[in-house]
Amino acid sequence: MNEEHMEVVMGLIMHGGNAKGYAYQAIQDAKAGNFDEADKKIELANQELKAAHDTQTGMLTQEAQGNHVEVDLYMVHGQDHLMNAITFKDLAIEIIELLRRLDEK
């Protein structure tokens, strides 16, 4: 495995993990009634997901150009982190919206 491959994998894991962490913090902020902070954390999660998505798009572009991207357990693990982060962020948005509605009543 070459260094470039590991950088891609670690980028997916790092940005995915950061995004999930921000989404978790956003839920905690919303539970405390700090909805402005929760919204800021969701935006930070979105920025992290964009960075991971840009990495993923680069891999897809390489593959489309005929430069095979190595798929190994590390890559699967990185993709798993990214997909879980996306799902977690989407659910966090729904939870925050429910908490916002409850707070308004």
Side-chain angles (χ1 to χ4, degrees):
M1 174 180 331
N2 65 38
E3 187 175 324
E4 182 181 344
H5 180 76
M6 279 308 292
E7 285 180 23
V8 168
V9 169
M10 294 310 294
L12 292 173
I13 293 170
M14 179 187 70
H15 292 300
N18 289 346
K20 186 177 176 187
Y22 283 130
Y24 180 81
Q25 290 173 9
I27 293 170
Q28 299 308 307
D29 287 336
K31 284 170 57 177
N34 299 325
F35 295 103
D36 288 341
E37 279 301 310
D39 292 339
K40 289 176 188 175
K41 298 284 179 25
I42 291 296
E43 180 52 38
L44 290 171
N46 284 332
Q47 290 172 16
E48 291 289 339
L49 289 173
K50 182 188 180 318
H53 188 264
D54 289 348
T55 298
Q56 188 179 50
T57 299
M59 290 185 320
L60 293 170
T61 300
Q62 288 293 317
E63 190 73 35
Q65 293 173 344
N67 302 319
H68 180 65
V69 175
E70 181 182 357
V71 178
D72 55 18
L73 188 55
Y74 295 110
M75 183 63 70
V76 171
H77 184 64
Q79 291 291 332
D80 185 49
H81 267 269
L82 176 56
M83 296 309 298
N84 280 319
I86 291 167
T87 302
F88 193 91
K89 191 229 24 165
D90 290 345
L91 287 172
I93 289 170
E94 294 299 320
I95 291 168
I96 292 165
E97 181 57 31
L98 289 171
L99 290 169
R100 196 181 316 261
R101 287 182 186 180
L102 287 172
D103 189 64
E104 290 172 356
K105 291 186 177 202

